[in-house]
Amino acid sequence: MPLSTIYATKAMHIYDKKNITIIYLDEVDSTNDTARAFLDAGRISGETLIIARFQRRGRGRGKRTWLSTRNMNLTVSYVFFPAFLSPSHQFYLSAIVSLAVYDVISYYANGVTIKWPNDIYVLNDKIAGILIENSIEGNKFTSCIAGIGINVNEKEFDPSLPNPTSLYLATGKMYDTDAVLDILISHLQSRTGLLKESKGDLLMKEYINKLYLLNRYFTYRTPAGRIMAKIVGVDDFGRLNLLDNKGQLHLYMIDEAEPIRE
Ligand code: BTN
């Protein structure tokens, strides 16, 4: 995206707080794309959060899109520089961002879990999604863009979405998105701080303990067909460990295994 597109947005405020620069934008294609363009143009050097009131082309993992009504929700990209982490532990980034978003939603609602790899659920419905885009040079991360979409005050969703929810639908209350953002920033900073202190193993344990359907038999769609299995862990590469009802362990890469909702 040309930088002129970014500067042509209707509103743009930049301010610093808690050692993080926050860039407020009115309308963009995708905050992750804006973050990428800012990084490529050398305009971001420290921890930064880019937030837009509206995304024209919000992106999800794989080929998914992310739809969010103007001003109703949070669509942000958190940019940080995990040079302290080995790229072989790339999945830790996904785990800590999931934990931070889990923390935020749990502050407001009950029944929160993380659906592997990084969706946030309230009971059986998806309330937040995360799209992580890392840059690695040699054996070092040069940046991590963690795109986060949290459904805050959304009341109605596109009928094509299988199981969406929002804080409003889960709790019956409307929320100030700036207040939710403040809590999100504290948790992102605290979770990245713990990772920096080499607490990756502990964070992975916590991530696993918060997984949706952990230790519960369920039917999964896998490349080998349907299996009845339960989640018993996630390894450092982010592979889901499923133990089937015949006692056999299966490891699945991201998006290879999906519980079947019937
Ligand atoms: C998913 O559930 O597949 C991930 C959704 C991620 C959505 C967020 S909204 C802010 C950031 N910008 C994007 O275009 N996507 C992420």
Side-chain angles (χ1 to χ4, degrees):
M1 187 198 335
L3 281 180
S4 56
T5 314
I6 297 164
Y7 295 126
T9 53
K10 278 190 213 135
M12 182 164 163
H13 311 286
I14 301 183
Y15 70 97
D16 284 288
K17 70 170 188 182
K18 298 182 196 159
N19 301 319
I20 184 168
T21 302
I22 303 181
I23 303 177
Y24 274 96
L25 299 169
D26 182 55
E27 190 173 318
V28 296
D29 280 346
S30 148
T31 54
N32 270 34
D33 294 346
T34 307
R36 176 83 269 144
F38 275 25
L39 279 166
D40 290 348
R43 295 186 58 86
I44 293 180
S45 50
E47 212 174 301
T48 301
L49 186 130
I50 294 171
I51 173 161
R53 293 195 189 102
F54 181 66
Q55 295 190 123
R56 288 179 292 259
R57 284 192 202 91
R59 296 191 285 112
R61 283 191 297 110
K63 291 196 174 113
R64 294 195 297 222
T65 55
W66 185 261
L67 303 171
S68 176
T69 306
R70 174 181 284 277
N71 283 335
M72 296 296 267
N73 307 298
L74 281 178
T75 48
V76 309
S77 294
Y78 174 59
V79 183
F80 61 110
F81 301 88
F84 52 86
L85 188 72
S86 154
S88 61
H89 284 146
Q90 173 151 212
F91 187 74
Y92 285 12
L93 298 174
S94 184
I96 59 158
V97 175
S98 302
L99 283 168
V101 181
Y102 168 96
D103 294 336
V104 177
I105 306 301
S106 305
Y107 179 81
Y108 297 100
N110 296 319
V112 184
T113 52
I114 300 170
K115 179 177 169 282
W116 174 82
N118 54 18
D119 288 341
I120 309 302
Y121 270 33
V122 174
L123 303 177
N124 292 309
D125 296 328
K126 176 167 169 172
I127 195 161
I130 295 165
L131 175 64
I132 307 258
E133 297 180 309
N134 296 318
S135 297
I136 298 171
E137 262 170 39
N139 199 29
K140 275 210 151 64
F141 284 102
T142 46
S143 65
C144 172
I145 301 173
I148 301 165
I150 300 181
N151 298 326
V152 180
N153 296 314
E154 195 78 66
K155 293 192 169 112
E156 280 178 31
F157 287 92
D158 191 288
S160 65
L161 296 172
N163 57 334
T165 192
S166 63
L167 280 179
Y168 170 76
L169 292 175
T171 66
K173 293 184 201 147
M174 301 280 282
Y175 297 91
D176 172 3
T177 49
D178 280 342
V180 183
L181 177 66
D182 259 11
I183 297 177
L184 174 64
I185 291 172
S186 325
H187 286 297
L188 285 167
Q189 291 189 316
S190 124
R191 293 291 182 178
T192 44
L194 286 171
L195 186 58
K196 211 173 190 168
E197 289 166 21
S198 308
K199 301 266 175 26
D201 288 1
L202 281 178
L203 289 161
M204 275 304 285
K205 283 202 179 92
E206 199 181 343
Y207 166 86
I208 291 165
N209 277 326
K210 296 188 179 339
L211 284 176
Y212 177 65
L213 298 178
L214 180 68
N215 283 323
R216 281 170 52 194
Y217 279 106
F218 212 80
T219 309
Y220 285 82
R221 186 180 301 114
T222 75
R226 288 178 175 216
I227 60 168
M228 176 65 80
K230 63 179 180 180
I231 298 175
V232 290
V234 173
D235 66 18
D236 282 356
F237 302 105
R239 290 178 303 193
L240 187 70
N241 297 2
L242 282 185
L243 185 66
D244 72 21
N245 55 356
K246 296 180 188 100
Q248 194 186 337
L249 188 66
H250 306 256
L251 302 188
Y252 292 108
M253 298 298 286
I254 305 242
D255 291 332
E256 277 185 348
E258 186 63 28
I260 299 176
R261 295 164 58 86
E262 273 155 338

